[in-house]
Amino acid sequence: MRVLVTGGCGYIGSHMVRCLLHAGHDVTIVDDLSAGFADTVPAGVHLAPFDVRDPRVRELLVDREIDSVLHFASRIQVGESMRDPRLYFRDNLAAGITLLEHVLSAGVRRFVLSSTAAVYGYPQYTPIDEAHPTLPINPYGESKLALERVLASYATAYGLSYAALRYFNAAGAWTDEGLGERHDPETHLLPLLIDAALGKRAPMTVFGTDYDTPDGTCVRDYVHVRDLSDAHVAALVYLADGGESGAFNLGTGQGHSVREAIACVERVTGKTVPVSYGERRAGDPPVLVASAARAARVLGWRPSRASLTEIVSDACAWLARQ
Ligand code: UFG
């Protein structure tokens, strides 16, 4: 396939680009480099360094005969979305709609959206499947859910085929390819823990120890970024085969608490993680664990790097080199 990857210089997008190349697809990247890194672009891959709203995106789709778009470019910080929601409705929702204008007018028929577990809001049951009510509790989740709804309407009206892939907690790295997590600022648990263990950061603060969970800390479903990439390839193949559009959870189905994550990082690094214990972070649900049964059944996707130890080991190998 001939695939355009927006945000292809970001954390998940850069892994996606390598995964597509390994699977034999032709790749073009659109990334304005506001959060991504041009040094992740493999030799021979065309990088168009502009925003997804840029009219040149339409020309690119036509000129390069793109048949599928994978849309990663977006803002990703829940806290920032609470403080400054217009960034999220403008850069995730409105920009996504403009990108879809380019997609439709260029005649591209397949679209995969990088979506999030944040579309569900507070879990009403666990593990969360796609039938769970979607009641986001922050503008980040709202912006992604709204774009999913736009896609559903466009699928019905214009025959666009789409998959909205709802990631749980993306983590890990692809060290052989020189890829890993680079966020500024970094807010995610595993890189903060690993960097603290390696002495590269201040002690990490555990946000809350009084949750209704087995050890009092929040439980999350960490899924390897390479498994996420594999799921996108499976989704592309599924859509190309005429599969029905829709949303799919991507997670391992295994939950790990913050304390378990700390113990895992200590085992893998052989070092003690300096931590302090603080208040709960606003908006953190106690438990977020996916049922990815639908992705398994429909896409034939199962995570093959599902152990937390493997995810942490890969992330450590990458962060130790930075
Ligand atoms: N945590 C800490 N201390 C920190 C950072 C995180 O204790 O310094 C805890 C959080 O409270 C949470 C867990 O570690 O319980 C994981 O936090 P992350 O910030 O790594 O990830 P989130 O679960 O908050 O967010 C992830 C994605 C979002 C997505 C969300 C779905 O990063 O994009 O899942 O709710 F929206």
Side-chain angles (χ1 to χ4, degrees):
M1 287 183 241
R2 299 183 61 80
V3 185
L4 182 87
V5 181
T6 77
C9 299
Y11 171 43
I12 305 176
S14 61
H15 287 75
M16 187 72 240
V17 166
R18 300 294 168 132
C19 179
L20 285 165
L21 294 174
H22 282 274
H25 300 288
D26 183 86
V27 180
T28 301
I29 299 172
V30 170
D31 194 310
D32 68 2
L33 301 176
S34 58
F37 299 90
D39 62 10
T40 62
V41 178
V45 170
H46 180 73
L47 164 65
F50 36 77
D51 187 275
V52 299
R53 287 163 278 217
D54 195 302
R56 286 173 290 180
V57 172
R58 185 188 177 280
E59 290 165 29
L60 206 59
L61 293 171
V62 172
D63 293 348
R64 300 184 73 86
E65 299 176 7
I66 302 293
D67 52 55
S68 311
V69 170
L70 302 184
H71 181 38
F72 293 88
S74 73
R75 294 184 177 269
I76 59 160
Q77 290 178 43
V78 171
E80 179 187 60
S81 81
M82 303 287 283
R83 291 190 301 275
D84 206 353
R86 64 197 275 237
L87 298 178
Y88 285 72
F89 291 109
R90 185 190 69 194
D91 296 343
N92 291 2
L93 177 57
I97 293 172
T98 303
L99 173 64
L100 286 170
E101 288 297 311
H102 302 321
V103 162
L104 291 175
S105 76
V108 175
R109 284 285 163 264
R110 287 189 288 278
F111 192 92
V112 180
L113 174 66
S114 184
S115 190
T116 170
V119 301
Y120 295 114
Y122 277 107
Q124 296 178 11
Y125 57 84
T126 188
I128 297 175
D129 58 18
E130 294 82 356
H132 186 285
T134 44
L135 298 166
I137 53 168
N138 50 61
Y140 169 64
E142 292 281 8
S143 69
K144 291 285 186 174
L145 181 61
L147 193 55
E148 285 197 19
R149 290 188 170 139
V150 171
L151 282 168
S153 301
Y154 288 11
T156 306
Y158 309 124
L160 182 71
S161 295
Y162 80 92
L165 303 183
R166 296 172 175 169
Y167 316 151
F168 281 64
N169 287 64
W174 195 346
T175 317
D176 292 348
E177 296 282 358
L179 298 175
E181 195 163 0
R182 277 195 269 176
H183 289 126
D184 187 17
E186 186 53 79
T187 59
H188 293 109
L189 178 68
L190 294 181
L192 290 178
L193 283 179
I194 293 166
D195 274 352
L198 299 177
K200 295 181 173 186
R201 271 183 207 271
M204 172 270 168
T205 305
V206 176
F207 296 144
T209 53
D210 58 351
Y211 284 98
D212 184 16
T213 57
D215 68 17
T217 63
C218 286
V219 171
R220 292 290 181 274
D221 183 340
Y222 297 93
V223 54
H224 201 295
V225 62
R226 293 186 63 190
D227 284 329
L228 291 181
S229 302
D230 291 343
H232 289 70
V233 174
L236 281 181
V237 171
Y238 164 78
L239 294 177
D241 287 346
E244 195 183 329
S245 296
F248 299 89
N249 286 345
L250 299 181
T252 65
Q254 300 297 314
H256 297 281
S257 71
V258 175
R259 287 190 209 272
E260 285 173 342
I262 293 169
C264 184
V265 169
E266 291 187 334
R267 259 195 327 275
V268 170
T269 60
K271 297 180 193 301
T272 303
V273 181
V275 292
S276 62
Y277 294 90
E279 296 299 310
R280 294 182 177 196
R281 183 172 66 177
D284 268 344
V287 179
L288 266 182
V289 175
S291 163
R294 180 158 197 265
R297 192 177 67 250
V298 178
L299 304 180
W301 174 80
R302 280 175 190 79
S304 60
R305 304 160 188 93
S307 85
L308 187 62
T309 303
E310 186 166 0
I311 292 170
V312 166
S313 299
D314 286 352
C316 280
W318 155 260
L319 288 167
R321 288 190 198 175
Q322 301 309 299

